[in-house]
Amino acid sequence: KGDMHEFKGMFSLGAVDGKFQFEGPIVKGKTSFNVALRRTWLDLVTTPIFWVANARQDNDVNVMSGYSFWDGNIGLDHKIDERNSLAFRFYAGRDWMDMEADDKRETYSMDMNVNWGNILTSLHWNSRLTDTMTSKVIVYHSNNTSTISALINQDAEEHDSAESFGVDVGNLSRINDIGFKADFHWRPSSRNSVRFGTSFIYHFYSPERYDRITAGDGGDSGFSLGMNDKVDFSGYEPSLYFEDEIIFNDIFNLNVGFRYALFGVPGKVYHAFEPRFSARLDFADWGNIRASYTDMNQFNHQISTNYMDLPTNSWMPVTAKHPPMHSRQIVLGLYTDFSNGLTFNAEGFYKIMNNLLEYTGSNTLYPPLTKWETSFSSGRGRAYGVATELSWKTKRTELSAYNT
């Protein structure tokens, strides 16, 4: 939120990045703005290094590579009256990485580009309905895009003929969401806090992949092979939730709630009821026990041929053939903080999962877009573990040990 009464800002220039932020009133006491930008220029630092390295090497290959990141935020806030306010938010950010290679005879070149990022636009209405209840209503649009592409060209001159070969491949993963959500917070007493709300999201999935190979001998003969796959999926997700946090006394509090969601795709509508609770028992001034249970569903599947999060992956919604992934998790922990500065914490969890998808299709870098539903097996999973922490802290010393 920008300052409603005076202009101010900051800027910072570092070795690998720069930042800028400026805020102030548009109408004093009523409307304000806030703008922030930042960018890394690691690519500008590494470019001269590659120039020097290419000049000093004996072979005929030049290599260039760079990485950069930027993001920006714009905020507008308007105070309607003492109980109501509006806010506009815009965010955009992108990572970019490029690698180029070519020989000095200009008969070979390779250019590989990877970029990914998000764009988010939202409008907020904050209201104090009564002295004990507030609300926040948001409408928004979000976009997530990741792209990887590679272009390779080779020309080999020999006598009076020439042979050429080219490869152009790429993968685009794109998700657009249009959504609405309304959240309410009611405090009937100092020991009771109730939150409830509803939301609706329409998801658009539009991954795309292309692959082209060209070859020629310098004359009329030659060939070109290629494919361009593009699919479109959509799904709608309405939901509502309710939770109640109750402080019974000085030693025990409880939070119980649920979320109910639908997810509709062509030919199928899935229902999901997700209860959850958490509790805390302070059995002494130096220690407490905490426990929780969570039931969750995931309506998106990551389509990937490997276990690394790369732009070669694509995201797809559940379909009539593949149901949502589902998990149940239980957590129990002991937390202590003694007066002599000694702290010991231990927490264990157990989680079971259903409808997990494992890719079983062809061993390629890119999974098939048009046949991905038939290239996966469904199964179950479980996860469990214990994390411990032992530390001792004084005014001048801190020692910690962790184990997971």
Side-chain angles (χ1 to χ4, degrees):
K1 183 182 293 187
D3 196 294
M4 290 281 187
H5 301 283
E6 61 179 356
F7 295 98
K8 57 186 177 182
M10 59 83 66
F11 72 91
S12 172
L13 299 177
V16 295
D17 67 351
K19 305 173 184 178
F20 167 81
Q21 182 264 337
F22 188 64
E23 62 182 296
I26 298 176
V27 178
K28 280 195 174 183
K30 295 283 290 185
T31 309
S32 68
F33 72 92
N34 198 347
V35 179
L37 300 170
R38 63 175 176 169
R39 187 196 190 278
T40 64
W41 41 64
L42 187 62
D43 54 325
L44 303 181
V45 176
T46 58
T47 297
I49 297 176
F50 279 99
W51 282 343
V52 174
N54 290 328
R56 291 186 175 182
Q57 64 182 359
D58 296 331
N59 57 43
D60 294 332
V61 178
N62 293 320
V63 178
M64 297 293 294
S65 181
Y67 167 80
S68 67
F69 161 80
W70 66 266
D71 69 0
N73 286 274
I74 299 175
L76 298 174
D77 288 87
H78 177 69
K79 185 178 179 181
I80 301 174
D81 53 38
E82 294 300 323
R83 289 181 174 269
N84 297 275
S85 64
L86 291 175
F88 170 80
R89 298 288 183 262
F90 174 81
Y91 167 83
R94 184 152 294 275
D95 288 71
W96 168 84
M97 184 170 59
D98 183 72
M99 177 177 289
E100 300 178 8
D102 61 73
D103 60 15
K104 297 177 181 179
R105 295 173 300 168
E106 298 184 353
T107 60
Y108 169 82
S109 66
M110 185 273 291
D111 186 3
M112 182 175 180
N113 183 273
V114 182
N115 65 83
W116 62 97
N118 299 281
I119 299 175
L120 174 64
T121 305
S122 60
L123 182 64
H124 307 239
W125 175 25
N126 299 296
S127 179
R128 178 172 290 278
L129 303 176
T130 67
D131 292 340
T132 60
M133 179 178 289
T134 60
S135 69
K136 175 184 286 189
V137 179
I138 304 174
V139 292
Y140 65 91
H141 169 260
S142 68
N143 170 272
N144 173 267
T145 303
S146 62
T147 306
I148 181 170
S149 62
L151 178 63
I152 301 173
N153 289 301
Q154 184 170 1
D155 295 314
E157 297 182 356
E158 184 178 355
H159 303 295
D160 295 332
S161 64
E163 295 180 353
S164 63
F165 179 78
V167 177
D168 187 7
V169 297
N171 185 74
L172 170 65
S173 178
R174 182 170 48 219
I175 305 175
N176 282 282
D177 286 346
I178 299 175
F180 159 86
K181 60 183 302 186
D183 300 311
F184 300 87
H185 185 194
W186 177 44
R187 294 187 62 90
S189 69
S190 60
R191 291 181 174 269
N192 194 4
S193 179
V194 179
R195 294 179 176 88
F196 58 95
T198 183
S199 68
F200 182 89
I201 310 172
Y202 207 100
H203 306 275
F204 298 90
Y205 306 80
S206 51
E208 185 175 355
R209 184 167 304 133
Y210 63 87
D211 189 346
R212 291 185 287 270
I213 299 176
T214 59
D217 60 0
D220 296 333
S221 62
F223 70 89
S224 176
L225 300 175
M227 54 82 71
N228 192 333
D229 285 340
K230 182 179 180 180
V231 294
D232 293 298
F233 290 94
S234 63
Y236 60 90
E237 183 182 353
S239 67
L240 57 90
Y241 75 92
F242 174 89
E243 69 168 334
D244 190 1
E245 183 177 0
I246 306 171
I247 302 175
F248 289 96
N249 47 48
D250 294 337
I251 65 172
F252 181 69
N253 63 68
L254 178 68
N255 187 310
V256 294
F258 70 89
R259 179 178 181 266
Y260 178 72
L262 301 177
F263 197 89
V265 293
K268 188 75 173 181
V269 176
Y270 292 100
H271 302 258
F273 181 72
E274 301 172 339
R276 66 273 311 267
F277 85 90
S278 64
R280 171 171 171 163
L281 175 64
D282 295 315
F283 58 83
D285 293 338
W286 48 266
N288 63 81
I289 297 175
R290 305 176 198 176
S292 69
Y293 169 80
T294 307
D295 195 308
M296 297 186 67
N297 292 271
Q298 181 173 314
F299 300 109
N300 301 277
H301 293 304
Q302 186 182 50
I303 312 303
S304 175
T305 59
N306 55 69
Y307 294 103
M308 295 168 47
D309 189 11
L310 297 173
T312 57
N313 303 332
S314 296
W315 286 90
M316 298 291 195
V318 300
T319 65
K321 181 178 293 187
H322 291 298
M325 290 178 282
H326 176 246
S327 70
R328 293 187 178 97
Q329 178 173 279
I330 299 174
V331 179
L332 180 64
L334 171 66
Y335 304 85
T336 63
D337 190 359
F338 299 97
S339 58
N340 59 1
L342 185 66
T343 298
F344 175 75
N345 300 323
E347 183 179 272
F349 77 95
Y350 187 84
K351 182 179 183 179
I352 57 175
M353 297 160 282
N354 296 307
N355 303 326
L356 300 180
L357 290 186
E358 181 78 10
Y359 180 77
T360 57
S362 58
N363 187 19
T364 60
L365 182 62
Y366 304 113
L369 293 182
T370 57
K371 301 179 181 179
W372 71 272
E373 282 187 283
T374 61
S375 303
F376 284 82
S377 295
S378 179
R380 297 179 296 176
R382 63 177 178 172
Y384 50 88
V386 175
T388 60
E389 175 191 3
L390 179 64
S391 64
W392 178 65
K393 181 188 295 186
T394 67
K395 292 183 178 180
R396 304 180 64 180
T397 306
E398 182 176 353
L399 301 174
S400 299
Y402 303 92
N403 182 54
T404 302

